[in-house]
Amino acid sequence: MSSSFSIVSAIILLTICVLGNSNAQLSSTFYSSTCPNVTSVVRGVVEQAQQNDIRIGAKLIRVHFHDCFVNGCDGSIMLDNADGIESEKDAVPNQSTDGYDVVDDIKTALENVCPGVVSCADILAIASQILVSANGGPTWEVQLGRRDSRTANRAGTTALPSPFENLEQITKKFNDVGLDSTDLVALSGAHTFGRARCLTFVHRLYNFSGTGNPDPTIDTTYLETLRQICPNGGNGGTLADLDQSTRDEFDHNYFTNLQNKRGLLQTDQELFSTSGDTVAIVNRFANSQSDFFDSFGQSMINMGNIRPLTGSDGEIRSDCRRVN
């Protein structure tokens, strides 16, 4: 009786282990035995890349963000057009994303050390953390174990927040993927470094919402500065600093800018200038950089947890641009 009970118990335990693995949670130690040097390999590539492109941190964290908001953090944004694949890169919100060549370099380096082990989706999460920290920002325990999708979802890119949307619309898009107002404000703080094209904010400078006047929530001195960078009818591809005070440093000045009506994008400034629960969060982060850093790390973990593929779902791509 006891031996048969032991056998049944063992079968139940085995079943739990197998099922548990197919729905595995992400873990900061996921690669500790299969690719223990993963972080140092990624760091070596991105630190070299940053010497050639100071904006690579802002570029890769944006790719990570745009990946997670469409079908979850599954690396689908990196797939190029192929049979049965309509690349998400060709969707309007992603046409200005960049940094994929650096992801390719990271993938090549990792395949040399531990082939077939580290997913492209995880590469984005690791690189984002390293580059935020390298630019003066926080560190956090990146959760790992995502697998790569075998499909893309170009139509699904409508889930991405747009610089032309209001706070209510943006908040809904964050809520739709399980993120709250603190996540919204904290992750928007990634605009403490990087650039934006004139076409993403020029509507605020001359004829806001068809009024024939500029957005009243822009500081008048800042308005004149932006008009010099982006003349009416000028080149929409011209770049402006998202944070004009410390353009390449990861700090909390973004939130001070919002308090001073110096947010570049409509979606930035509305966090402070539209009444709602985001105002108090902006004030909190403006008052305490450590508070912002703590929240940012947690919100990056929360974002990285959006519908990952784990266990036996998906695959580990050998080339981030195409399925195996």
Side-chain angles (χ1 to χ4, degrees):
M1 181 76 175
S2 61
S3 62
S4 61
F5 178 78
S6 299
I7 293 169
V8 171
S9 298
I11 291 171
I12 291 171
L13 185 62
L14 180 63
T15 304
I16 290 170
C17 289
V18 171
L19 289 175
N21 188 48
S22 68
N23 190 28
Q25 295 300 300
L26 303 183
S27 161
S28 61
T29 58
F30 186 82
Y31 296 114
S32 59
S33 60
T34 55
C35 195
N37 296 328
V38 57
T39 303
S40 58
V41 172
V42 177
R43 179 175 286 108
V45 177
V46 298
E47 286 182 349
Q48 181 64 44
Q50 183 159 273
Q51 291 179 13
N52 301 322
D53 180 5
I54 191 65
R55 295 165 52 208
I56 192 61
K59 289 176 179 179
L60 289 184
I61 202 170
R62 183 167 182 241
V63 173
H64 183 33
F65 180 97
H66 281 221
D67 181 40
C68 290
F69 266 66
V70 180
N71 282 26
C73 310
D74 62 356
S76 60
I77 191 173
M78 291 177 272
L79 290 171
D80 287 341
N81 287 310
D83 286 346
I85 304 283
E86 285 196 341
S87 179
E88 294 172 20
K89 295 176 186 173
D90 292 338
V92 171
N94 289 333
Q95 287 171 359
S96 60
T97 56
D98 198 4
Y100 300 104
D101 54 336
V102 175
V103 177
D104 293 339
D105 292 342
I106 296 169
K107 186 61 177 171
T108 299
L110 285 170
E111 288 298 302
N112 287 334
V113 179
C114 25
V117 173
V118 182
S119 67
C120 301
D122 276 350
I123 285 174
L124 290 179
I126 298 167
S128 294
Q129 189 280 312
I130 291 170
L131 287 163
V132 164
S133 185
N135 286 280
T139 185
W140 61 91
E141 281 208 337
V142 181
Q143 303 300 297
L144 302 166
R146 299 169 194 81
R147 290 169 64 84
D148 297 319
S149 71
R150 295 188 178 97
T151 58
N153 183 8
R154 187 186 296 173
T157 57
T158 54
L160 289 166
S162 157
F164 309 107
E165 291 177 322
N166 62 34
L167 181 59
E168 182 181 0
Q169 293 168 312
I170 294 289
T171 300
K172 183 181 186 305
K173 287 186 172 181
F174 272 74
N175 292 164
D176 286 346
V177 293
L179 300 178
D180 64 17
S181 293
T182 300
D183 297 316
L184 165 58
V185 179
L187 293 172
S188 295
H191 288 171
T192 180
F193 64 177
R195 317 282 184 266
R197 296 173 297 163
C198 285
L199 63 84
T200 60
F201 61 86
V202 72
H203 67 285
R204 303 183 67 208
L205 308 184
Y206 301 97
N207 184 22
F208 184 62
S209 298
T211 60
N213 296 307
D215 184 338
T217 66
I218 303 182
D219 170 75
T220 52
T221 307
Y222 186 44
L223 174 65
E224 291 312 312
T225 301
L226 293 178
R227 282 178 164 178
Q228 289 174 14
I229 298 169
C230 306
N232 202 5
N235 180 1
T238 302
L239 296 174
D241 298 327
L242 282 159
D243 173 358
Q244 75 282 358
S245 58
T246 48
R247 65 193 306 226
D248 296 317
E249 293 175 31
F250 200 99
D251 54 30
H252 71 145
N253 288 4
Y254 166 84
F255 300 103
T256 315
N257 294 339
L258 299 188
Q259 290 177 323
N260 295 326
K261 299 171 73 171
R262 287 172 170 257
L264 184 65
L265 304 181
Q266 176 181 341
T267 47
D268 293 325
Q269 192 57 51
E270 287 213 14
L271 297 174
F272 184 76
S273 296
T274 301
S275 60
D277 59 356
T278 59
V279 178
I281 305 169
V282 170
N283 287 332
R284 183 156 58 88
F285 293 162
N287 291 336
S288 170
Q289 182 160 284
S290 63
D291 200 346
F292 165 49
F293 280 7
D294 289 345
S295 294
F296 184 81
Q298 185 57 54
S299 290
M300 285 295 291
I301 291 170
N302 295 346
M303 184 183 80
N305 272 326
I306 300 173
R307 293 170 56 197
L309 298 174
T310 57
S312 57
D313 292 336
E315 63 181 17
I316 304 297
R317 281 184 224 139
S318 56
D319 177 345
C320 291
R321 295 176 184 261
R322 51 191 59 86
V323 297
N324 292 342

